Amino acid sequence: MKYYKGKPIGLWILAVWIILSLIYYYTSPILIWGMEPSSYALINFSGWLTIAGWISVILDIFLIYAVTIGFNNAKNWARIYTMIALSIPAFFSVYFIFIERVWPYERYGWLVLYVIVISYLMMSEVREYFGVKKWLL
């Protein structure tokens, strides 16, 4: 595994990817389609004024904190929170692919990315960086 400044290089890439994907989620409806801002990282909420929309915004802000500060300080809670935060949209991608049949090809791409990232965070070298024992998750 390659390291940059004492940290696995994949964690640097992961932090940049998550931040850029959140920027895409919040700005693409405005820039591309001229719609009101919405986050469909968890579910495609209709607007910012809904309670679920605000909860999504708060969870996304905490995700940015986890991948920047938590990864930088090798905190295991940041790794676990990131895996949970990415497994929720992965679940909804499966739901939309097989049940709703909404944008299946885009959802396949996102699902593959989520599975790759979660698998990376469960690798033994990454767990060692976060100080997790071999027998723990």
Side-chain angles (χ1 to χ4, degrees):
M1 178 171 285
K2 298 193 184 242
Y3 290 88
Y4 178 73
K5 294 186 178 181
K7 295 169 188 56
I9 197 162
L11 293 178
W12 294 93
I13 295 169
L14 176 61
V16 170
W17 175 72
I18 286 177
I19 292 169
L20 290 177
S21 66
L22 288 175
I23 290 170
Y24 169 76
Y25 281 139
Y26 286 107
T27 60
S28 66
I30 299 169
L31 299 177
I32 297 173
W33 299 292
M35 297 166 42
E36 63 182 84
S38 65
S39 169
Y40 51 98
L42 297 176
I43 299 175
N44 189 7
F45 300 118
S46 62
W48 289 69
L49 299 178
T50 63
I51 293 173
W54 282 108
I55 290 172
S56 176
V57 169
I58 291 168
L59 292 176
D60 289 342
I61 289 170
F62 190 67
L63 180 62
I64 290 172
Y65 177 77
V67 299
T68 55
I69 305 301
F71 282 5
N72 193 36
N73 295 330
K75 300 293 185 183
N76 192 42
W77 63 263
R79 182 183 74 91
I80 292 172
Y81 179 76
T82 305
M83 288 190 302
I84 291 170
L86 293 179
S87 63
I88 293 170
F91 170 76
F92 281 111
S93 290
V94 170
Y95 172 78
F96 283 121
I97 289 169
F98 295 111
I99 296 174
E100 292 290 325
R101 304 219 184 255
V102 178
W103 306 315
Y105 299 114
E106 178 185 354
R107 301 285 180 177
Y108 282 127
W110 284 109
L111 180 62
V112 167
L113 285 172
Y114 295 141
V115 169
I116 289 171
V117 169
I118 292 170
S119 300
Y120 175 75
L121 289 173
M122 295 178 73
M123 288 176 57
S124 60
E125 293 89 1
V126 175
R127 288 189 320 210
E128 279 181 25
Y129 168 73
F130 285 103
V132 178
K133 305 286 184 211
K134 289 192 176 223
W135 53 272
L136 291 176
L137 177 65

